[in-house]
Amino acid sequence: MILVVVIVCVSHGQSVTTALGIVMAAGAAAARIGSWLSEQRLSAGAPGGAQ
């Protein structure tokens, strides 16, 4: 998947460095969203947690 994103970005005139930066930023955002969702599930499952 990463290779596809890099190839598409480079073929549209972006530099490889820019393409890799986009991939890394997307990965970091996905990791944050994943940990946030895990916390939400844990708090929803706990007694008195947010619904």
Side-chain angles (χ1 to χ4, degrees):
M1 182 65 182
I2 293 171
L3 185 60
V4 172
V5 172
V6 171
I7 290 171
V8 169
C9 288
V10 170
S11 69
H12 282 88
Q14 300 293 329
S15 70
V16 173
T17 307
T18 301
L20 290 175
I22 292 168
V23 169
M24 291 176 66
R32 283 192 179 172
I33 291 170
S35 72
W36 179 81
L37 286 174
S38 294
E39 290 174 11
Q40 297 303 310
R41 283 191 214 117
L42 288 175
S43 66
Q51 296 285 327

